[in-house]
Amino acid sequence: IYYASRQATPLPTNSYCVELFFVAAFSFRTKIHSMESNTHAAASLNQSWFIGAPLTRLLAFLTGISYALIESRKTHDDFSFDVDAILRQGQVYRIFTGPITFSSSGELIVGLLVLVNLSRRLERELGTRKFCLWLLGTGVISTIMQLLIFGQLLDSLSYSGPYPTIGAVVWMFHTTTPRLHPRFFGLCGIHFSEKSMAYVFCLQIIIFRGLNSVIPCACGMMASQLFRSVPPLQKALDVPDGIASMVTVALRRFVEDPPVPFVPTTRQPRHRVPSVATVPTPRAVAAVPTPPPESAIEQLTSMGFDRDSVLTALQASQNNVERAADILLTRG
């Protein structure tokens, strides 16, 4: 629809494939939700991916939309993070536009696969406020490293994509996420944990563009470790509680899915409920008298009372010999 409204030239292959991928994924998700919207399982499918991570969802949305817009005009070079253009030509805007989105469809798919999964996990562990503070701190530190250190050592450093953020979340995943299954699978006598597959995808996106992607990711890793190790940096970038609460409410209202109320359904028992007549009640059980022991009968009859009177007295006193003797003496 977008290209048809602009009456553009034939669709670029990369852009068309990526847009088709997102449209197909969204259509499949919508179809699943419409088919099972009245069940609790549908609510879980609709909310399980980004629930508890509204900021991650916003970042993924901005990355995808930005790629579609920039790719349609083929202007990635105009918005990339270029150290030479920033320092010598004064194009400061590249500091903010460069890390927004990737410059190719392959980077976009693999990068979002790594970024969304690891960021979602980290945001749930830290909370949205601390995660936002962590993103801001690592972003500032990694940008300073790239401009002042690596920008002076290298002839050129240019890239498009949130590579510093990817390096930061990969480092947090490596240092904070424990290995639950150290021997998840083995290969040629070497055992690997369940984190190995995540490392494969992380390594692929880190070395995607050689030094132009390795250096930003390395700066993100060092910035993440430095931000964690220096508490004054966290306090310096912290925001007041009022502003943080307003931003959190806005994110949850416009980004996070509203909770779907779960109404439990009552199920009829499969077995037949026994009738009242077949179930013995406490009253019915108590109505059946317990026969008095022969020792109590002999003890009372030896006192001169007849057997029938002794049985009646014992039943009235619930086989209590002393009370039965009082009854017999009183009636005497």
Side-chain angles (χ1 to χ4, degrees), residues 207-276:
I207 64 175
F208 203 96
R209 290 193 174 276
L211 289 178
N212 287 327
S213 58
V214 171
I215 291 178
C217 289
C219 291
M221 294 180 183
M222 291 185 290
S224 177
Q225 182 62 35
L226 182 62
F227 188 74
R228 290 178 55 196
S229 304
V230 183
L233 291 177
Q234 305 177 16
K235 296 180 180 179
L237 295 176
D238 199 0
V239 295
D241 295 338
I243 299 177
S245 61
M246 292 174 58
V247 174
T248 303
V249 171
L251 285 175
R252 290 179 178 176
R253 181 176 180 181
F254 297 104
V255 179
E256 197 172 42
D257 290 332
V260 178
F262 172 66
V263 180
T265 57
T266 57
R267 300 176 59 184
Q268 296 295 333
R270 296 181 180 180
H271 59 279
R272 186 178 62 87
V273 179
S275 60
V276 178

Side-chain angles (χ1 to χ4, degrees), residues 66-139:
S66 301
Y67 176 82
L69 295 176
I70 298 176
E71 178 67 18
S72 64
R73 295 171 173 83
K74 297 297 182 179
T75 56
H76 288 287
D77 294 336
D78 298 335
F79 297 98
S80 63
F81 186 96
D82 193 334
V83 175
D84 184 71
I86 295 173
L87 296 179
R88 293 173 175 80
Q89 301 178 17
Q91 298 178 2
V92 185
Y93 67 91
R94 292 178 179 267
I95 297 177
F96 307 98
T97 60
I100 289 180
T101 189
F102 300 93
S103 58
S104 66
S105 59
E107 286 178 289
L108 180 68
I109 296 175
V110 180
L112 282 181
L113 182 65
V114 172
L115 184 63
V116 170
N117 279 279
L118 300 186
S119 298
R120 179 173 56 99
R121 177 195 299 267
L122 184 61
E123 184 176 359
R124 289 175 177 175
E125 294 177 356
L126 299 179
T128 301
R129 178 178 178 178
K130 291 184 178 180
F131 180 69
C132 182
L133 178 64
W134 177 83
L135 282 179
L136 180 61
T138 54

